[in-house]
């Protein structure tokens, strides 16, 4: 425990140092430096506040125990004992909160994400389920105050999505949606099923942190770019010019095709955004796979082939198979009320991370 509080004291010292630095005119005039230090201070704020609360509670316990060593009347002794019990309970809770705050932070947690949803097994029904998942995440994003930009989509004849790629912008998007990668299974009676039989279909979700130029540098020599005429809806104009773009990252074989935008430049920009995210995901997944072999990941690797969740419509039930969580409120979850599922996944992951640290 002493090592823990030595670390907390050093964080508090750094927090105070940052406060002084941010009032320095030289720092204020350097926008990049000021922004970097401001972010560092904001990241430390909650931990330092909890540490100060902890020190106050420890002092209260010390004072109360000293008072109980003195001669007190019954009423005063009862009050002090009650305060002492509350302080000890608060101390235990704060220790747990502080340990979680000190866990190594995923460097991607603060980032926006690129999410890809694809209809998988189940034909038309799978594409319709992919559209339902898109609606679920869109409603959740709206509740969180995030914004969604559709980067690319392939609509099926029945109004579902063969695939759809979207950019979700907002506060700490990756930290909340990173557990959504994997195969999502739906059990329900399709609208096309006349006999009323329940069918099982799947859609896959891939969540990737949005990568900026400074974070992943793709060598132009490693990218082959092909341009061609767009196909599909859009009238005559869309077929007159070679506005569609296909980018191939030669070292990994990853291909991104984009024709959703009117101009070749717009398609190039969006294709590059998705390509960067996919290449980053490719390399980081390989690293994560090696890491998971050593520390069997509690929540799962998030591999797109791993069945992570089942949505059972007849029973209004959602089950997350990684943590054994079952909730009988599918209707509300599909309406964007994902908080209970996401909070449970985060808590489970944090608990396992704490256990892992304690066993090291």
């Amino acid at each position: 425990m002493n090592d823990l509080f030595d670390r907390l004291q050093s964080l508090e010292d750094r927090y105070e140092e940052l406060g002084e630095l941010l009032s320095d005119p030289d720092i204020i005039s350097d926008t990049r430096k000021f922004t970097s230090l401001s972010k560092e201070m904001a990241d430390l704020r909650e931990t330092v506040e909890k540490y100060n609360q902890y020190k106050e509670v420890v002092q209260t316990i010390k004072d109360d125990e000293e008072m109980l060593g003195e001669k007190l009347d019954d009423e005063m002794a009862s009050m002090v004992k009650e305060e002492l019990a509350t302080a000890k309970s608060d101390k235990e809770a704060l220790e747990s909160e502080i340990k979680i705050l000190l866990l190594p932070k995923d460097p991607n947690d603060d980032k926006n994400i690129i999410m890809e949803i694809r209809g998988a097994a189940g034909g038309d029904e799978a594409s319709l389920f992919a559209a339902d998942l898109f609606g679920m995440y869109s409603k959740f994003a709206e509740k969180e105050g995030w914004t969604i930009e559709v980067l690319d989509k392939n609509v099926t004849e029945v109004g579902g999505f063969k695939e759809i790629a979207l950019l979700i912008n907002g506060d700490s998007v990756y930290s909340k949606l990173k557990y959504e990668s994997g195969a999502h299974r739906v059990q329900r009676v399709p609208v096309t099923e006349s006999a009323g039989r329940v069918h099982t279909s799947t859609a896959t979700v891939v969540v990737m942190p949005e990568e900026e130029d400074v974070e992943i540098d793709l060598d132009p020599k490693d990218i082959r770019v092909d341009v061609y005429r767009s196909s599909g809806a859009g009238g005559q104009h869309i077929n007159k010019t070679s506005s569609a773009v296909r980018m191939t990252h030669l070292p990994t074989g990853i291909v991104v095709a984009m024709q959703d935008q009117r101009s070749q430049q717009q398609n190039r920009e969006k294709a590059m955004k998705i390509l960067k995210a996919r290449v980053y995901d490719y390399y980081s997944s390989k690293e994560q796979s090696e890491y998971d072999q050593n520390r069997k990941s509690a929540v799962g690797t998030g591999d797109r082939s791993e069945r992570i969740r089942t949505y059972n419509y007849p029973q209004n039930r959602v089950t997350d198979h990684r943590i054994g969580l079952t909730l009988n409120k599918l209707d509300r979850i599909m309406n964007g009320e994902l908080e209970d599922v996401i909070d449970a996944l985060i808590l489970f992951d944090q608990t396992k991370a704490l256990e892992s640290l304690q066993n090291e």
Side-chain angles (χ1 to χ4, degrees), residues 63-65 67-68 72 75-85:
D63 294 342
D64 287 348
E65 287 177 340
M67 286 183 69
L68 289 174
L72 301 173
E75 184 179 356
M76 178 60 76
S78 178
M79 288 173 59
V80 172
K81 285 178 182 177
E82 187 177 336
E83 183 181 71
L84 180 59

Side-chain angles (χ1 to χ4, degrees), residues 4 55 181 188 223 234 300:
L4 179 69
K55 287 190 289 186
S181 286
R188 65 186 178 188
I223 301 171

